[in-house]
Amino acid sequence: MNLYAVGKTLVKTALSPLYRFQVSGIEKFPKTGGVLLCSNHIHALDPPVVGMTAPRTVHFMAKEELFKAPVLGSILPKVNAFPVKRGMSDREALRTALKLLKGGEVVGLFPEGTRSTDGVLKKGLSGAGFFALRGNADVMPCAIIGPYKPFRKVKVVYGDPILMGPYRERKASAEEVTEAIMASIQKILDENTQK
């Protein structure tokens, strides 16, 4: 068993008694091929929660400051995280993400670039659209609906994959694709916060 699988089990064991996770839409997740997994960002626990619920191994972009932390910095690379400088203009991170996506892997990122303090979805960074267009991958939108309060329900909802073929064919811009990704995440939020 690799460290990612061990970590996934540990996260489930640690968090499941504390929060009532409700996961839906998992059957929509592409079983093969490169996937850009894009989620809203409301809490520091979002990356392990998305990693725990996703049916495939996720390679997360994480802000480079985390890799300088004493213990966390040595663990992150072992659980498939790689560093990115704020703003997604880091060339090394770009190369790493594109290589993973073109190799048929799942790359997870939070297009807002930082946590939303009020739970309202913020404008996405164009880096998300860039990866979606250049990475030979489709997009899996995901929404996390909290709040993260002990013994309360936390929903993790996977939406319909966004197929990038039509966007690539008409040479859509990274900004347009990012807007489509954010609109898809917002749609999931709207449909699942009314219930």
Side-chain angles (χ1 to χ4, degrees):
M1 187 180 272
N2 64 21
L3 192 57
Y4 185 92
V6 171
K8 194 168 178 172
T9 302
L10 288 174
V11 168
K12 276 186 183 176
T13 304
L15 297 182
S16 294
L18 194 57
Y19 306 107
R20 291 170 46 222
F21 290 107
Q22 184 181 74
V23 184
S24 59
I26 208 79
E27 72 283 352
K28 300 174 184 178
F29 207 105
K31 291 177 174 58
T32 58
V35 175
L36 184 67
L37 173 53
C38 293
S39 174
N40 62 325
H41 198 8
I42 58 170
H43 196 279
L45 287 175
D46 293 342
V49 166
V50 171
M52 171 185 91
T53 59
R56 293 172 58 188
T57 297
V58 183
H59 300 260
F60 275 107
M61 286 185 156
K63 59 183 181 180
E64 65 174 352
E65 294 89 345
L66 296 176
F67 288 81
K68 294 170 184 171
V71 179
L72 195 58
S74 61
I75 293 173
L76 285 173
K78 293 173 183 162
V79 291
N80 300 336
F82 60 97
V84 63
K85 292 186 176 78
R86 292 272 188 177
M88 291 186 181
S89 58
D90 179 351
R91 287 179 183 273
E92 186 59 35
L94 293 176
R95 280 194 292 267
T96 301
L98 291 175
K99 183 179 177 184
L100 287 165
L101 290 169
K102 289 176 179 177
E105 301 290 340
V106 179
V107 171
L109 59 81
F110 299 94
E112 293 163 285
T114 189
R115 288 197 300 270
S116 169
T117 53
D118 57 8
V120 175
L121 190 68
K122 308 296 183 201
K123 182 177 172 63
L125 299 172
S126 60
F130 172 84
F131 290 127
L133 289 167
R134 297 282 297 275
N136 194 28
D138 291 323
V139 176
M140 171 52 69
C142 173
I144 303 167
I145 302 154
Y148 281 89
K149 290 187 178 173
F151 315 114
R152 293 275 298 274
K153 187 187 295 179
V154 176
K155 289 184 181 180
V156 183
V157 184
Y158 292 90
D160 294 315
I162 305 171
L163 305 180
M164 285 293 108
Y167 289 94
R168 290 188 194 104
E169 284 169 18
R170 59 185 175 80
K171 295 181 169 55
S173 68
E175 289 78 12
E176 180 188 344
V177 172
T178 297
E179 284 177 14
I181 292 169
M182 302 313 286
S184 186
I185 295 172
Q186 186 63 60
K187 180 172 181 277
I188 301 169
L189 288 168
D190 293 342
E191 289 174 349
N192 287 276
T193 48
Q194 295 167 354
K195 296 176 184 177

